[in-house]
Amino acid sequence: MKLSDKAQESMNKVIEKFQSGDLSPISKVARIRLDPSAPAHKWSLSNKILAFIQAEELDCRGFGQWKDIGRNIKKGCKAAYIVRPLTIKVTNEETEEKENRICIGFSTIPVFAASDTEGEGAVQNYQPVEFPPLLDVAQKFNIAVEFVPIVSDRLGDSKTDGSKIRIGTKDPSVFFHELTHAIQAKVEGPLQGGQQTDQETVAEFTAAVLMDFYGFRDHSGNAWEYISHYASDPLTAITKAMGTVEKVLQVLLE
Ligand SMILES: [Zn+2]
């Protein structure tokens, strides 16, 4: 992907965090219940993480958006940057109808954190929410969980319709990985059989976030390596996976 210098700089911070094994921004972002009227509520998970890594706060808004609620940016405060895809409509050659939108690049949008603003308008105080115990989530979605010794080429597996996962190790990252597969199947429909790059990226990336969230840590290096094994460009794979990662995390939070 081609980004402006400022956007590239922001993206680099995110990549550095992931490569160094720090996935905590994602689990933190996932735990913040934003005021539904906050603009960031509608952002993609990638943009939420971008803003959070730069500003260390999630309720970031543009200059005009703060002005609208009666707040101004304090002098000397630096903007964080989120990215917006630039898309054009392309014509379907067979039907000659304009339909698909394709992404031709990215533009950057400067936003400012709530604590960098002042004024009469009130801002909400954000309390992080807790994840529920994950075995309960599995139960609620009718996902059977079996802890059994299984065939030697794997540590766990999941049925493509998400009805059952089998775990053959005490390593919680394997449970998180298989649970993610099953929840994705329940939310988006049956998975493809075998090891698919996109599905594996979603499962492993979400597992790394959950490992961080539950304080096991030290799994993201593994995740990066695991994802690199499937995808030639791990960052693009992760960016593509974000939409599904967000859906799975939402399920775990409800
Ligand atoms: Zn898998």
Side-chain angles (χ1 to χ4, degrees):
M1 66 174 118
K2 184 94 183 76
L3 297 170
S4 74
D5 289 350
K6 273 176 186 164
Q8 190 60 57
E9 209 179 290
S10 312
M11 222 26 155
N12 287 347
K13 277 193 189 167
V14 178
I15 300 168
E16 268 168 42
K17 280 254 180 205
F18 290 165
Q19 280 177 328
S20 74
D22 185 2
L23 292 175
S24 60
I26 307 171
S27 56
K28 284 180 190 152
V29 163
R31 291 173 65 207
I32 297 172
R33 276 267 155 89
L34 263 184
D35 172 355
S37 72
H41 190 70
K42 294 199 197 81
W43 294 354
S44 67
L45 182 61
S46 323
N47 267 336
K48 287 178 188 161
I49 291 162
L50 262 184
F52 189 82
I53 287 177
Q54 297 168 78
E56 294 178 354
E57 280 173 49
L58 186 53
D59 192 358
C60 294
R61 310 183 187 197
F63 182 86
Q65 289 171 326
W66 283 123
K67 195 118 209 154
D68 286 346
I69 64 155
R71 297 186 72 83
N72 292 304
I73 314 301
K74 289 183 199 162
K75 261 212 167 88
C77 287
K78 278 205 334 199
Y81 290 90
I82 57 171
V83 296
R84 172 169 54 199
L86 300 171
T87 60
I88 51 165
K89 270 196 174 167
V90 291
T91 309
N92 181 319
E93 288 185 1
E94 280 167 22
T95 63
E96 294 194 348
E97 272 171 35
K98 284 191 190 254
E99 41 182 43
N100 286 336
R101 284 198 162 270
I102 57 163
C103 176
I104 53 164
F106 293 89
S107 68
T108 51
I109 307 167
V111 291
F112 298 86
S115 62
D116 286 343
T117 65
E118 56 195 359
E120 300 289 299
V123 280
Q124 199 198 326
N125 231 331
Y126 293 104
Q127 292 295 331
V129 295
E130 298 292 335
F131 280 119
L134 297 184
L135 271 174
D136 288 4
V137 177
Q139 244 169 19
K140 207 178 106 194
F141 277 79
N142 284 324
I143 301 164
V145 183
E146 281 180 8
F147 291 91
V148 288
I150 53 178
V151 284
S152 60
D153 69 336
R154 69 194 66 183
L155 297 167
D157 58 16
S158 157
K159 288 217 162 159
T160 52
D161 63 0
S163 61
K164 183 158 107 179
I165 59 178
R166 297 190 303 170
I167 314 295
T169 165
K170 284 182 184 155
D171 183 345
S173 72
V174 176
F175 171 63
F176 295 152
H177 179 110
E178 302 304 336
L179 180 66
T180 303
H181 277 320
I183 289 178
Q184 187 184 351
K186 294 281 183 183
V187 173
E188 295 191 331
L191 302 176
Q192 288 173 273
Q195 309 272 300
Q196 308 293 333
T197 301
D198 52 344
Q199 292 172 188
E200 293 313 314
T201 304
V202 167
E204 195 57 15
F205 197 70
T206 309
V209 172
L210 294 174
M211 288 295 278
D212 175 83
F213 181 82
Y214 286 103
F216 296 108
R217 311 216 169 256
D218 204 28
H219 185 68
S220 46
N222 278 1
W224 187 267
E225 219 169 87
Y226 184 91
I227 295 166
S228 309
H229 180 77
Y230 285 102
S232 54
D233 177 356
L235 187 72
T236 304
I238 289 170
T239 309
K240 276 195 204 151
M242 283 293 191
T244 309
V245 170
E246 186 169 26
K247 275 190 205 164
V248 172
L249 289 173
Q250 262 165 9
V251 165
L252 298 178
L253 280 168
E254 265 158 21

